[in-house]
C-alpha cells in the first residue's frame, strides 16, 4: 500500500504515482496527462484524485482537503469537464469538446484550475480530437487535462502524441497479497484482483471456467470445491481460493452501501457482512493451505462455514 495520502487504496503503482507527484507539484502552465495500462488497476481512481487536486479550494501540503466541492463531487464543479460517451462503448461528441474548449482559455470560475477528465480517451473520434488540438498544442495556464485509456493504440495519434504518458502496470503477486491482507477491502479490490488475474494468460482460461460455474450454479461452494479438486488445471487450491476471492461480490455490494446508510435499504448491509464473512473464510482457507493443513479438511471446513453464512443471510 502506498504511503501517498492523496492516493490511498491504489497499490502497486509507485512508479506512476512518483511521476505524477512530480508533474502535479511543478509550477506548470498546464498539464495534459494520459494514464494508460490494463483495466482495473487504479487509473480512474488516480485520475479522480488528480481532478480533486486541480480543483481543491483548500489544498494543503500538496494534498487535496477531501472536504470541498472539488474534492467531494467534482462532477458538479463549474470548473470541471467530464468528456465521456453517453453510453459505454460510444464516442465522445465533438460538440461537447468544442463547448469545453471554448471556455478553456478563460480563467477558472471558482477553483485554482480548470480540470478535464477524458474517459476513455479512445472514445475520442478524429473530429473530437481535432476540436481540442489547438488547446493541446498550447495548453492554457490553469488547465489540467487528465485522460484514461487501456488501449493507447486506439487513441487518436494527434492527441496521444501531445500527452505526458504515465503507464500503470498489472498487479503482481505482492500487490495481490497487499489487497488480500488489508483488514477491510478497498472498494475496488475485487476489480483490481480480477483485472490482474484476467491479464495473466495462465489464469484466463480457468477464470472463464469459474465464471461459468459460478453463473450456472450460483457460486455453490460445494460445486466450486469439487471443481477445484477435480480440475486438471495445474492450479493449486490456494490459487483457486484467491480466484474465488477475486470473483466474489464484495466490491459490488460495497458500492450499494451509501443507499443503505441513507436509510433507503437495510439489505445491502446484511449482504455486505455476509460477503465479507465469506471473504474471511476464503482468506482463512488460503492461510491454512500455506500452513500445510490437510487440503481435504480445508475444503470441508470452507464449505461448512460458507453454508452457515448463506443460511444466516437467507433466514
Ligand atoms: Zn478540497
Amino acid at each position: 500500500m502506498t504511503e501517498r495520502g492523496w492516493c490511498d487504496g491504489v497499490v502497486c503503482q509507485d512508479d506512476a504515482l512518483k511521476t505524477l507527484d512530480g508533474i502535479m507539484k511543478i509550477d506548470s502552465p498546464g498539464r495534459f496527462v494520459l494514464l494508460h495500462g490494463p483495466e482495473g488497476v487504479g487509473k480512474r481512481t488516480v485520475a479522480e484524485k488528480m481532478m480533486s487536486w486541480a480543483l481543491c479550494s483548500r489544498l494543503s501540503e500538496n494534498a487535496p482537503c477531501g472536504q470541498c466541492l472539488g474534492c467531494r463531487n467534482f462532477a458538479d464543479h463549474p470548473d470541471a469537464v467530464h468528456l465521456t460517451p453517453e453510453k459505454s462503448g460510444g464516442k465522445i461528441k465533438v460538440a461537447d469538446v468544442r463547448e469545453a474548449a471554448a471556455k478553456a482559455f478563460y480563467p477558472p470560475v471558482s477553483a485554482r484550475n480548470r480540470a478535464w477528465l477524458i474517459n476513455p480517451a479512445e472514445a475520442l473520434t478524429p473530429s473530437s480530437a481535432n476540436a481540442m488540438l489547438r488547446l493541446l498544442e498550447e495548453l492554457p495556464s490553469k488547465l489540467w487535462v487528465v485522460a484514461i485509456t487501456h488501449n493507447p493504440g486506439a487513441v487518436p495519434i494527434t492527441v496521444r502524441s501531445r500527452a505526458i504518458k504515465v503507464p500503470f502496470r498489472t498487479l503482481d503477486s505482492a500487490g495481490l497479497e497487499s489487497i488480500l491482507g488489508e483488514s477491510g477491502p478497498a472498494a475496488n479490490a475485487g476489480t483490481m484482483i480480477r483485472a490482474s488475474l484476467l491479464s495473466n494468460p495462465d489464469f484466463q482460461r480457468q477464470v472463464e471456467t469459474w465464471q461459468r460455474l459460478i453463473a450456472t450454479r450460483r457460486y455453490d461452494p460445494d460445486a466450486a470445491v469439487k471443481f477445484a479438486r477435480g480440475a486438471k488445471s495445474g492450479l493449486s487450491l490456494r490459487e483457486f481460493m484467491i480466484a474465488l476471492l477475486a470473483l466474489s461480490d464484495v466490491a459490488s455490494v460495497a458500492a450499494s452501501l451509501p443507499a443503505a446508510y441513507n436509510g433507503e435499504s437495510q439489505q445491502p448491509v446484511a449482504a455486505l457482512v455476509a460477503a465479507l464473512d465469506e471473504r474471511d473464510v476464503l482468506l482463512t482457507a488460503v492461510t491454512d493451505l500455506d500452513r500445510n493443513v490437510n487440503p481435504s479438511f480445508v475444503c470441508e471446513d470452507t464449505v461448512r462455514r460458507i453454508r452457515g453464512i448463506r443460511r444466516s443471510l437467507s433466514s
Side-chain angles (χ1 to χ4, degrees):
M1 183 67 64
T2 175
E3 294 303 314
R4 285 162 222 284
W6 67 278
C7 259
D8 283 347
V10 175
V11 301
C12 243
Q13 304 298 348
D14 286 358
D15 290 344
L17 295 182
K18 199 170 161 200
T19 307
L20 291 171
D21 260 355
I23 293 169
M24 291 194 292
K25 287 175 185 171
I26 50 167
D27 197 15
S28 149
R31 295 155 177 82
F32 172 32
V33 181
L34 177 65
L35 312 180
H36 65 96
E39 286 183 87
V41 297
K43 298 187 300 299
R44 190 191 163 87
T45 305
V46 170
E48 290 179 352
K49 298 279 185 183
M50 291 172 73
M51 294 290 283
S52 296
W53 191 315
L55 297 168
C56 178
S57 57
R58 294 194 295 265
L59 196 71
S60 67
E61 295 185 4
N62 272 321
C65 74
Q67 308 289 322
C68 69
L69 180 65
C71 285
R72 282 184 295 105
N73 188 7
F74 66 77
D76 286 343
H77 197 289
D79 289 313
V81 171
H82 196 170
L83 292 171
T84 194
E86 262 170 24
K87 41 183 186 238
S88 137
K91 294 293 179 187
I92 294 171
K93 285 196 207 145
V94 64
D96 292 347
V97 177
R98 287 204 182 110
E99 187 191 337
K103 293 178 191 162
F105 289 96
Y106 295 102
V109 178
S110 65
R112 291 167 300 107
N113 304 283
R114 288 181 183 274
W116 289 18
L117 179 60
I118 306 175
N119 181 27
E122 68 268 22
L124 288 168
T125 62
S127 344
S128 50
N130 276 342
M132 63 174 70
L133 222 50
R134 196 178 130 230
L135 201 72
L136 298 180
E137 275 165 356
E138 204 171 330
L139 274 173
S141 62
K142 301 180 186 299
L143 176 66
W144 291 41
V145 180
V146 184
I148 306 174
T149 183
H150 61 266
N151 187 5
V155 179
I157 179 76
T158 47
V159 167
R160 194 173 73 217
S161 62
R162 286 168 172 84
I164 303 171
K165 290 171 268 301
V166 179
F168 279 56
R169 62 192 185 88
T170 306
L171 301 187
D172 56 17
S173 54
L176 289 176
E177 292 293 332
S178 84
I179 292 169
L180 297 174
E182 289 295 302
S183 52
N188 58 348
T191 320
M192 291 165 80
I193 299 170
R194 191 181 315 217
S196 170
L197 291 175
L198 289 175
S199 64
N200 180 339
D202 294 337
F203 274 110
Q204 187 139 9
R205 193 173 44 84
Q206 285 87 352
V207 170
E208 281 165 9
T209 311
W210 298 327
Q211 281 170 329
R212 264 203 307 281
L213 182 85
I214 289 163
T216 53
R217 308 204 187 185
R218 320 202 100 231
Y219 183 18
D220 171 27
D222 281 335
V225 172
K226 207 182 283 172
F227 175 78
R229 280 171 158 168
K232 295 189 175 82
S233 58
L235 279 189
S236 69
L237 190 54
R238 178 179 196 282
E239 287 167 320
F240 178 78
M241 293 292 180
I242 290 179
L244 280 187
L245 279 171
L247 294 167
S248 68
D249 216 17
V250 175
S252 64
V253 182
S256 62
L257 265 189
Y261 280 124
N262 293 335
E264 291 157 27
S265 164
Q266 281 300 311
Q267 199 274 334
V269 176
L272 179 66
V273 170
L276 289 173
D277 285 349
E278 287 191 18
R279 180 178 168 279
D280 283 345
V281 169
L282 291 169
L283 274 175
T284 307
V286 171
T287 314
D288 285 347
L289 290 166
D290 281 347
R291 288 167 46 225
N292 290 325
V293 177
N294 181 329
S296 297
F297 173 78
V298 173
C299 286
E300 276 151 30
D301 189 49
T302 303
V303 170
R304 187 180 50 75
R305 293 173 63 190
I306 288 184
R307 270 195 192 140
I309 292 165
R310 303 232 160 161
R311 251 199 310 276
S312 70
L313 185 62
S314 58
S315 62

